[in-house]
């Protein structure tokens, strides 16, 4: 997440201290595009930002206009996010998933 890299550089905090501050600092959460509610905390360095796509789109639409296109890293290309983007008719350039049959053939070829 680029926002965390910017905050890490700006604050000169270690990863652990940055996450602790992110858990308690609403301005940092807003800057990163996340909202930790109901006592939810980021407990370790294994935060998976792909789970925040729907919230990020909703916040963007609340501030701006309807999201029609989305550019994101490959980590966002989960099945849930793909389904959500399809339902909302949001265009993205995520790599298309290969059919399972094709993946099986590729795996067999790599073993040979």
């Amino acid at each position: 997440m680029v926002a965390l890299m910017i905050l890490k550089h700006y604050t000169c905090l270690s990863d652990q201290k940055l996450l602790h501050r992110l858990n308690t600092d609403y301005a940092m959460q807003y800057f990163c595009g996340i909202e930790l509610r109901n006592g939810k905390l980021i407990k370790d360095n294994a935060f998976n930002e792909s789970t925040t796509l729907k919230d990020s789109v909703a916040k963007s639409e609340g501030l701006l206009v309807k999201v029609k296109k989305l550019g994101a890293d490959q980590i966002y290309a989960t099945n849930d996010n793909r389904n959500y983007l399809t339902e909302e008719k949001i265009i993205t350039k995520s790599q298309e998933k290969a059919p399972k049959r094709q993946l099986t053939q590729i795996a067999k070829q790599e073993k040979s």
Side-chain angles (χ1 to χ4, degrees), residues 38-94:
N38 302 329
K40 180 179 173 187
L41 299 174
I42 300 171
K43 296 181 182 177
D44 58 17
N45 298 339
F47 174 63
N48 184 349
E49 69 229 37
S50 70
T51 60
T52 65
L53 182 106
K54 294 176 190 176
D55 290 337
S56 297
V57 168
K59 285 181 185 178
S60 295
E61 289 180 344
L63 296 172
L64 304 168
V65 295
K66 171 86 171 114
V67 174
K68 295 179 182 178
K69 293 182 182 179
L70 179 83
D73 293 335
Q74 192 61 30
I75 192 169
Y76 288 94
T78 63
N79 287 338
D80 286 342
N81 287 341
R82 287 175 189 268
N83 292 336
Y84 170 75
L85 294 172
T86 301
E87 289 169 8
E88 296 295 319
K89 298 179 181 154
I90 298 173
I91 299 168
T92 185
K93 294 291 182 182
S94 293

Side-chain angles (χ1 to χ4, degrees), residues 4-5 8 35 37 44 46-48 50 52 72 85 103 107 109:
L4 281 175
M5 287 189 269
K8 183 171 174 59
E35 184 178 348
R37 293 185 227 154
D44 58 17
F47 174 63
N48 184 349
S50 70
T52 65
L85 294 172
L103 293 175
Q109 289 173 355

Side-chain angles (χ1 to χ4, degrees), residues 3-15 17-19 21-22 25 28:
L4 281 175
M5 287 189 269
I6 293 169
L7 287 174
K8 183 171 174 59
H9 177 76
Y10 180 76
T11 61
C12 298
L13 294 172
S14 68
D15 290 348
K17 289 181 180 180
L18 181 64
L19 287 178
R21 179 134 175 229
L22 182 65
D25 189 330
M28 280 190 170

